[in-house]
Amino acid sequence: MIVRSEGMKIPWMNLINCIVLVVFCYSIEVCNGQDYGGEEVVKAAPPPAQENCDGVFVTYAFDNREREYPFVKNVTAQAWAFTSMLTVINTGLFELKSWKVQVGFQHNEVLISTDGAVAMGGDGFPVKTGKNGTVLAGFPQADLKTAIDTAGDFTQMAAQVKIKGTQFGVPTKSTPMPKSINLLNDGYKCPAPKKFKTYMQMCCKKDPKFKPKNTSIKFMERQNGDLSFTYDVLSAFESKYQAQVTIDNISPLGRLDRWNLTWEWMRNEFIYSMKGAYTHKKDPSECIYGPQGQYYKDFDFSVVMNCQKKPVISDLPPEMENDDKLGKLPFCCKNGALLPTTMNGTKARSIFQMEVFKLPPDMNRTALYPPQNWKIEGRVNPSYKCGPPIRVDPTGFPDPSKIGITLNAVASWQITCNISRPQPKQAKCCVSFSAFYTDSVVPCNTCACGCEQTSKCDGNAKPLPLPAQALLVPFQDREKLAKEWNRIKRLGTMPKKLPCPDNCGVSINWHLESNYKTGWTARMTLFNWGNDPFVDWFTAVQMKKNIGDGYENVYSFNGTKLPQRTNTVFMQGLEGLTYLVGQVNGTNPNKDPKVPGKQQSVISFLKKNTPNVNIEGGDGFPSKVIFNGEECALPPNFPKSHAAFKSQVGLLPAVLLALLTFLLLTDQFH
């Protein structure tokens, strides 16, 4: 026996015997495994909530996180790399098609990858999560079958998404969990998730009140939106397929000019040839040095249309419409113009076709995957936010032989896009306000269409009041007018750093011209500050309250009140005036500023159907103005009316001012 200083006695022989016994038992266990082939590994039992869920069981599990460079003392600025797992399991009786889950990230997360899903939004990774988090859509496994149809095959009835990203503002000892998770598929109702320290779960069940519109379809119903893409596979082979892309402009106020379409190939596909459109870049090296060149070793990539993972595609000009190789497709070759149906129904669709080559493991006829992260942009057009491709019933095409047979596509997907409202300082057009009862103009917002450099100007300052004639000159020539106007009107001390320009290529002035007992009038003037004209332009004005019910007429434009939106007046150029020309030089280019292209018209309203409106109190100014589908930035306030202008004495100066403004907005001064 050995005695320690604490007085405790340790039986060393007994301890050695125990160690030998443990090693011997371990060796016996190993031998048994070799003799009998090993015992089957027992799977962990699912949580009780999953076993009792008759619907869709969704979980989010936080994995771990590590501090990222640069290391800073400020907790809110410290970046952390994190990993987590989102699991979606179909535990019900119905197949879950094109699943979508919203994860309410709340720590300024930047998603780097989501293995098993794609982030909706159309931009690809990395993805900055918004205030409401991010919506993840299943890919490549978008549909989750039932246990009954798969004999409990977990790989077909469940999807596991490995999430990797960066987050900020998380204390060292806390666990950064999302605010919530939610299944977004139609027909399901989800309770608030049960939350634990590193885990949350919920069971979404079928809504008994939900009734699908069409029960005869095999795949998902086609969705409604402002813009719709249809991706049809016309023919399929082992290593390639023929696809057709159809773009439909559905919104009565949506529009695209010179559209540029991009998407992301997720499985190393490449475009061999194309009709009805073209890609901006043709570089075979991306295929030659990529996985495509490793598989197709004897392939001539010099004739390949595009090898980019994210190609940029544009429409062909009308001159190519009858070209035997590139044209001769219906609805092709319109130079990227997609007009709303309110203007021209035949110009609301665009079509192009392409031959796509595939790579392993997709080398069979049925391995068909559409590209993801669709995004489309135009020139002074709305911003579209697109969802993921959803599988729909194959599109039917009329038989060329015209004997009444319908030919179906091999497979079809739909991508639905909706117009998103421009963020502050990210518009593409802006509006200024003026009125007969005041001689100052409320200009467009500072940096309404963005500011690249603010070193010489203040990007957050309010715009300065201007005289009416200032609307006719470029912004760089308005500084002298603004200072002189400030001196004449005694508006106070001018700031040392003046507000930045609006930087908009198109501006619109809404001038409240008159207000009578029986009706009132406004004048709208369009200014094109760019060098290129706008062909087949249109504008729409949405009024407040029920002002639209009093709409009477538009005099120099072709105007109508939209039946779908009773408070909206739709206007476009008259025949022969459908071009809004670009800016040109002044009468004397050496000293005169450039002159914008402009068109204007008076709009009249009656008060018979709108007796309680307050025209000068703000009801006479629009709540939304749209030019070529793009929502324009509006000033935060409108010209205020003073009591002096309500008297008959004040009418004469107002009429003279309106006349002067009208003359200034014509070409008589140029």
Side-chain angles (χ1 to χ4, degrees):
M1 303 290 291
I2 300 176
V3 181
R4 300 186 65 182
S5 60
E6 293 85 358
M8 179 179 178
K9 298 180 180 180
I10 302 177
W12 285 104
M13 292 302 299
N14 293 343
L15 179 60
I16 293 172
N17 291 335
C18 290
I19 293 174
V20 173
L21 180 62
V22 169
V23 173
F24 178 74
C25 292
Y26 177 77
S27 64
I28 294 176
E29 182 181 353
V30 173
C31 292
N32 286 342
Q34 292 175 344
D35 291 343
Y36 298 101
E39 296 181 2
E40 183 180 354
V41 178
V42 179
K43 295 182 180 179
Q50 177 181 326
E51 290 188 326
N52 298 326
C53 181
D54 181 13
V56 178
F57 192 69
V58 184
T59 66
Y60 179 94
F62 178 78
D63 222 355
N64 60 67
R65 64 184 177 121
E66 295 180 358
R67 196 160 60 141
E68 287 183 339
Y69 291 112
F71 296 157
V72 295
K73 295 181 179 179
N74 186 356
V75 175
T76 59
Q78 179 60 57
W80 296 80
F82 78 97
T83 58
S84 60
M85 177 77 76
L86 174 73
T87 305
V88 185
I89 309 173
N90 186 1
T91 56
L93 296 173
F94 305 96
E95 182 178 2
L96 179 65
K97 299 177 181 178
S98 298
W99 67 263
K100 299 188 292 289
V101 170
Q102 182 180 31
V103 183
F105 293 111
Q106 58 179 338
H107 299 100
N108 297 321
E109 283 88 348
V110 178
L111 302 186
I112 307 304
S113 65
T114 53
D115 186 13
V118 292
M120 292 177 59
D123 293 329
F125 294 104
V127 175
K128 292 184 178 180
T129 59
K131 294 181 180 179
N132 297 322
T134 300
V135 177
L136 300 178
F139 182 85
Q141 191 172 351
D143 302 334
L144 302 181
K145 298 183 180 299
T146 67
I148 296 173
D149 294 335
T150 62
D153 185 355
F154 191 82
T155 60
Q156 298 186 61
M157 55 182 285
Q160 289 187 312
V161 182
K162 299 177 181 178
I163 301 172
K164 183 179 180 181
T166 302
Q167 54 192 192
F168 298 86
V170 185
T172 306
K173 295 183 179 180
S174 66
T175 303
M177 293 289 288
K179 289 183 293 186
S180 63
I181 50 176
N182 188 28
L183 182 71
L184 299 183
N185 292 69
D186 293 336
Y188 284 89
K189 295 182 68 175
C190 301
K194 292 183 179 180
K195 299 179 180 180
F196 305 91
K197 185 177 181 181
T198 61
Y199 178 82
M200 63 172 61
Q201 65 183 29
M202 68 178 180
C203 175
C204 301
K205 296 186 178 181
K206 271 283 188 180
D207 185 357
K209 297 181 180 179
F210 178 79
K211 295 182 180 179
K213 297 178 182 179
N214 190 349
T215 57
S216 62
I217 59 175
K218 180 180 179 182
F219 297 99
M220 291 280 288
E221 294 184 43
R222 294 185 183 248
Q223 307 293 308
N224 294 321
D226 295 319
L227 190 76
S228 175
F229 296 96
T230 306
Y231 191 84
D232 293 308
V233 176
L234 304 180
S235 60
F237 305 92
E238 183 176 296
S239 61
K240 63 180 181 178
Y241 64 86
Q242 188 79 14
Q244 176 171 288
V245 178
T246 305
I247 314 174
D248 286 306
N249 184 14
I250 303 170
S251 170
L253 297 178
R255 176 184 178 134
L256 280 163
D257 286 282
R258 302 180 186 178
W259 53 259
N260 289 326
L261 169 65
T262 184
W263 59 54
E264 184 175 4
W265 295 112
M266 307 299 289
R267 306 179 74 82
N268 295 317
E269 300 96 332
F270 62 92
I271 303 172
Y272 181 78
S273 62
M274 186 175 283
K275 290 183 66 176
Y278 69 97
T279 58
H280 285 210
K281 188 176 181 181
K282 182 179 180 180
D283 185 2
S285 64
E286 296 190 36
C287 277
I288 294 173
Y289 296 104
Q292 300 88 348
Q294 295 177 11
Y295 181 77
Y296 295 103
K297 296 182 179 180
D298 298 325
F299 205 85
D300 182 9
F301 286 103
S302 64
V303 297
V304 171
M305 170 67 76
N306 186 273
C307 290
Q308 290 178 287
K309 184 178 179 65
K310 295 182 179 180
V312 180
I313 302 167
S314 293
D315 194 14
L316 288 172
E319 295 79 21
M320 307 298 292
E321 185 175 1
N322 294 317
D323 187 271
D324 291 332
K325 293 183 178 180
L326 302 177
K328 289 193 174 180
L329 280 177
F331 304 104
C332 89
C333 314
K334 296 193 289 289
N335 207 26
L338 275 172
L339 303 182
T341 53
T342 48
M343 292 187 69
N344 191 326
T346 61
K347 292 185 178 180
R349 168 174 285 190
S350 187
I351 285 179
F352 64 89
Q353 293 180 354
M354 58 186 179
E355 189 176 15
V356 180
F357 272 75
K358 304 182 295 181
L359 264 70
D362 302 332
M363 306 303 283
N364 63 71
R365 291 176 180 266
T366 59
L368 302 169
Y369 299 96
Q372 301 287 320
N373 298 325
W374 291 59
K375 187 176 183 179
I376 191 165
E377 294 179 337
R379 173 176 173 254
V380 189
N381 297 130
S383 299
Y384 290 95
K385 188 173 182 180
C386 302
I390 61 169
R391 185 78 180 267
V392 294
D393 279 7
T395 305
F397 301 98
D399 184 11
S401 63
K402 299 180 180 180
I403 60 175
I405 301 175
T406 300
L407 302 178
N408 287 338
V410 176
S412 298
W413 288 265
Q414 185 197 26
I415 300 92
T416 305
C417 308
N418 288 302
I419 295 174
S420 59
R421 190 169 188 177
Q423 297 296 319
K425 300 184 180 183
Q426 293 182 11
K428 297 177 183 176
C429 55
C430 64
V431 178
S432 61
F433 287 156
S434 57
F436 66 86
Y437 50 77
T438 180
D439 46 5
S440 287
V441 173
V442 179
C444 286
N445 296 336
T446 302
C447 298
C449 299
C451 279
E452 294 182 358
Q453 295 181 351
T454 57
S455 58
K456 297 181 180 180
C457 60
D458 191 343
N460 298 315
K462 291 183 179 180
L464 299 174
L466 296 172
Q469 63 266 30
L471 297 177
L472 286 166
V473 298
F475 192 90
Q476 59 268 24
D477 299 306
R478 294 181 187 177
E479 181 177 337
K480 185 177 179 180
L481 290 171
K483 290 180 177 179
E484 184 65 17
W485 192 250
N486 184 81
R487 184 188 65 80
I488 294 173
K489 295 298 178 180
R490 299 179 181 179
L491 299 176
T493 305
M494 289 285 288
K496 294 182 180 180
K497 202 173 184 181
L498 296 180
C500 293
D502 54 65
N503 292 318
C504 294
V506 173
S507 61
I508 299 173
N509 174 249
W510 180 270
H511 178 75
L512 191 58
E513 192 163 74
S514 67
N515 183 19
Y516 303 103
K517 184 177 180 180
T518 57
W520 60 282
T521 60
R523 184 176 66 250
M524 171 181 275
T525 308
L526 313 176
F527 299 95
N528 181 6
W529 298 99
N531 297 320
D532 299 325
F534 287 95
V535 184
D536 295 326
W537 63 268
F538 80 83
T539 185
V541 177
Q542 180 177 312
M543 302 304 298
K544 301 174 183 178
K545 299 180 181 177
N546 60 340
I547 299 292
D549 294 339
Y551 164 73
E552 182 185 23
N553 198 6
V554 176
Y555 295 92
S556 300
F557 298 157
N558 186 2
T560 182
K561 189 169 69 171
L562 291 182
Q564 309 98 317
R565 307 184 183 191
T566 56
N567 230 20
T568 302
V569 180
F570 182 89
M571 292 168 277
Q572 56 184 319
L574 296 171
E575 187 175 353
L577 297 172
T578 57
Y579 275 69
L580 179 59
V581 299
Q583 66 176 359
V584 295
N585 290 328
T587 305
N588 189 341
N590 294 326
K591 64 177 183 179
D592 293 338
K594 288 190 174 183
V595 180
K598 60 182 181 295
Q599 288 195 35
Q600 66 176 351
S601 178
V602 173
I603 310 166
S604 62
F605 297 84
L606 299 175
K607 292 184 179 179
K608 181 179 179 180
N609 297 324
T610 57
N612 298 320
V613 297
N614 185 356
I615 301 302
E616 296 174 21
D619 292 344
F621 295 92
S623 60
K624 182 183 293 186
V625 176
I626 292 173
F627 177 79
N628 275 12
E630 170 73 7
E631 184 175 344
C632 303
L634 296 180
N637 50 19
F638 50 85
K640 295 294 188 288
S641 175
H642 302 289
F645 292 100
K646 295 184 179 180
S647 66
Q648 292 295 327
V649 179
L651 264 178
L652 182 59
V655 172
L656 292 176
L657 176 63
L659 178 61
L660 176 62
T661 307
F662 175 79
L663 292 175
L664 288 170
L665 293 176
T666 63
D667 289 326
Q668 296 184 22
F669 279 69
H670 305 285

